[in-house]
Amino acid sequence: MVLLIMISVFILLMICVSAFFSRFVKTGEDFYLGGRRMLWWVLGHTIAAGLFGGSSMLVVAGNAMTDGLSAIWILAIPSWIGAFVSAIFFARKVRSLPGVASLPDLIELRYDKVSRNVFMIVTVLFYIAFTTSQLLAIGKFVFGFSGISVITGMGIALIVVLIYATVSGFLGVVITDTIMAAILFVGLVILAFSSLSWGNGWSNISETITSTTPDFFNLFSTSIHPLLAIVYVAAFGLALVPQQDIFQRYASAKDEKNALFGGLFALVIFIP
């Protein structure tokens, strides 16, 4: 019951925040790119929030139970590498190009309108699958802690996101991402110290884990060997480089410098 109240308060907070910032959305550029006035520390939080994702957190946490530290090769390290490459090679360039607000825009600028349309269709199909995985992660989370069915949880999450994204556009997404990133960071810190307290210190925790799983803290394991780690980096890391949501955030930066620093700041936040 307490958890349901907390979730309800959180949902209401996100909607209220979005409604408040809707007053700053007056043009199409405001709606789609936040008026191109995003500072680096705001971009860092919203990019990091996107890198975390519901499905990626569940996948890494679930595999860490069986594969130990080596589970970071599944999504965590590839995501960091992909975001690093994207920030270094594309952040400033995307922000400097006039009239470019999305990857299809970039494709049309480099090739032609036909290529843009083909790429746009592929992008839409990808994000349908990607968004569904995020909603499924939320649905499973809500079910695990409240007993509400997975489908109902997915539906609630979809409605809430549609409301605050429609009301204030990209600006609402950035602000709510920043709030969620801050909550997530604080929650991780609390969880870390609570775990140390409940486990009677790190030494006791590590001894207990290694007594049953000796290679738990190894960077590689029998399940995730170096060759498979390279495959994960190639599959997930390189796939993240041209993602629309990251490019849109670069395009929304106040200037090229803020675009670059925002991308790099996201990498720092993502490490914990």
Side-chain angles (χ1 to χ4, degrees):
M1 185 63 180
V2 175
L3 183 61
L4 283 176
I5 294 175
M6 293 177 64
I7 293 175
S8 300
V9 171
F10 175 76
I11 291 174
L12 183 61
L13 173 64
M14 294 297 101
I15 294 176
C16 289
V17 168
S18 180
F20 174 80
F21 282 96
S22 65
R23 68 183 66 185
F24 301 107
V25 180
K26 303 183 185 301
T27 66
E29 186 175 86
D30 289 339
F31 184 84
Y32 195 71
L33 293 174
R36 289 184 183 267
R37 53 177 177 263
M38 297 297 135
L39 299 177
W40 64 270
W41 61 272
V42 177
L43 287 178
H45 282 96
T46 187
I47 293 173
L51 292 177
F52 279 110
S55 59
S56 60
M57 290 187 68
L58 291 180
V59 168
V60 174
N63 282 274
M65 292 291 293
T66 55
D67 300 323
L69 182 62
S70 63
I72 62 176
W73 287 104
I74 298 176
L75 280 173
I77 290 181
S79 295
W80 196 95
I81 293 175
F84 175 79
V85 172
S86 180
I88 295 297
F89 293 101
F90 293 101
R92 296 173 65 95
K93 187 65 175 178
V94 169
R95 182 59 184 88
S96 67
L97 293 173
V100 173
S102 66
L103 271 174
D105 291 339
L106 191 62
I107 295 297
E108 182 177 5
L109 185 65
R110 177 62 178 84
Y111 300 102
D112 52 41
K113 195 166 185 177
V114 175
S115 300
R116 170 198 171 95
N117 292 336
V118 172
F119 187 84
M120 186 167 57
I121 293 172
V122 173
T123 301
V124 169
L125 293 175
F126 166 78
Y127 273 98
I128 289 175
F130 178 76
T131 303
T132 301
S133 71
Q134 301 299 308
L135 292 174
L136 181 60
I138 295 175
K140 288 188 174 182
F141 170 82
V142 173
F143 171 76
F145 286 92
S146 68
I148 296 176
S149 70
V150 174
I151 296 298
T152 302
M154 292 175 66
I156 294 173
L158 178 60
I159 292 172
V160 172
V161 172
L162 285 176
I163 289 175
Y164 73 67
T166 302
V167 169
S168 55
F170 181 73
L171 180 60
V173 172
V174 169
I175 299 300
T176 52
D177 273 355
T178 302
I179 294 174
M180 286 186 277
I183 292 175
L184 181 60
F185 180 78
V186 172
L188 288 174
V189 172
I190 294 174
L191 178 61
F193 282 100
S194 298
S195 299
L196 289 174
S197 176
W198 293 335
N200 296 319
W202 174 249
S203 298
N204 186 60
I205 293 175
S206 59
E207 289 176 7
T208 302
I209 293 175
T210 53
S211 65
T212 56
T213 313
D215 62 345
F216 187 90
F217 294 105
N218 293 344
L219 195 57
F220 300 102
S221 64
T222 54
S223 300
I224 303 178
H225 47 78
L227 181 59
L228 184 58
I230 294 175
V231 172
Y232 280 132
V233 171
F236 297 119
L238 295 181
L240 187 141
V241 173
Q243 280 197 12
Q244 164 62 26
D245 53 330
I246 293 182
F247 271 50
Q248 184 180 14
R249 282 153 175 77
Y250 293 153
S252 72
K254 183 178 180 181
D255 50 39
E256 297 177 33
K257 184 177 180 181
N258 276 280
L260 175 61
F261 285 180
L264 297 178
F265 183 49
L267 299 175
V268 176
I269 300 174
F270 187 66
I271 291 175

